[in-house]
Amino acid sequence: MPAETTEYGSAALRRWRAADADAAYQIVDESLDHLRPWMPWAANHSRQQSAEFTANCERAWTVGTAYTYAILSEGALVGSCGVVRQDQIAGMEIGYWLAPSYTGRGLATSAVAALTIQAFSLPDNQCVEILHDEANHPSHAIPRRLGFTLIDISRGAPQAPAECGVRLTWRLDRAAFMHRCW
């Protein structure tokens, strides 16, 4: 089981709990203009959706299918990240986002590093992947900085308004992770 709280660089991660629904609603609400172009779920933002999100986070953590964290900076809630089990790759997929006023500070890179460390703390996890649309240029830098390898470029229908439909898949396997010095 990964740690319920962890830190790396400038980011602190704290496990989302069902009781965090109001905080989740508020940070998403403050970030909607930034999230809607890239996150399909942001189109249906509501208090109910936030309550379902945090309850699902708690259930998934308990059964071990996903581990989702609030991202904190100097005690302030600034975003969210998580890892989800992906049976087809014998590993986990990472997702993340930050409130717009916290981008460009290295927080997402620090959060993804912390999340990757937690994902590889699970003995049965063989790799971690990051998927993002090619048009989401800020997302290119994070896997590169952390030593992920671009393993696939595929085309499909865009899932959010700003997407171009070209999906990049980055992977870090356990052996490569063991040789990283972050």
Side-chain angles (χ1 to χ4, degrees):
M1 184 83 45
E4 294 194 12
T5 62
T6 188
E7 293 183 22
Y8 188 92
S10 57
L13 306 183
R14 180 183 52 79
R15 173 184 172 183
W16 281 113
R17 298 212 177 253
D20 295 324
D22 287 340
Y25 174 81
Q26 183 174 343
I27 190 66
V28 171
D29 200 56
E30 293 168 2
S31 304
L32 272 178
D33 289 342
H34 178 69
L35 295 173
R36 279 190 183 125
W38 304 108
M39 306 291 179
W41 54 262
N44 298 317
H45 175 62
S46 68
R47 289 192 183 277
Q48 179 63 32
Q49 182 192 40
S50 294
E52 290 169 5
F53 166 74
T54 55
N56 287 338
C57 288
E58 195 159 344
R59 275 191 298 277
W61 189 290
T62 301
V63 299
T65 57
Y67 304 98
T68 310
Y69 294 88
I71 302 172
L72 307 169
S73 177
E74 298 178 2
L77 175 59
V78 300
S80 184
C81 63
V83 291
V84 178
R85 289 198 183 275
Q86 298 293 341
D87 293 334
Q88 66 271 26
I89 64 168
M92 303 185 90
E93 181 182 327
I94 288 180
Y96 49 90
W97 63 267
L98 288 175
S101 59
Y102 289 90
T103 62
R105 301 180 187 189
L107 282 167
T109 301
S110 291
V112 171
L115 203 54
T116 301
I117 292 166
Q118 291 307 307
F120 282 118
S121 75
L122 303 169
D124 59 336
N125 185 38
Q126 297 306 308
C127 67
V128 175
E129 290 188 352
I130 296 173
L131 286 71
H132 66 85
D133 190 86
E134 185 177 46
N136 189 344
H137 298 290
S139 286
H140 292 266
I142 293 168
R144 278 192 190 127
R145 281 186 202 121
L146 296 176
F148 283 67
T149 300
L150 181 62
I151 63 161
D152 188 53
I153 300 172
S154 59
R155 297 193 183 281
Q159 298 177 18
E163 292 185 346
C164 67
V166 176
R167 175 84 45 203
L168 305 180
T169 303
W170 301 81
R171 180 180 284 171
L172 183 65
D173 64 25
R174 182 175 287 281
F177 171 75
M178 298 305 286
H179 291 97
R180 299 300 306 162
C181 296
W182 297 334

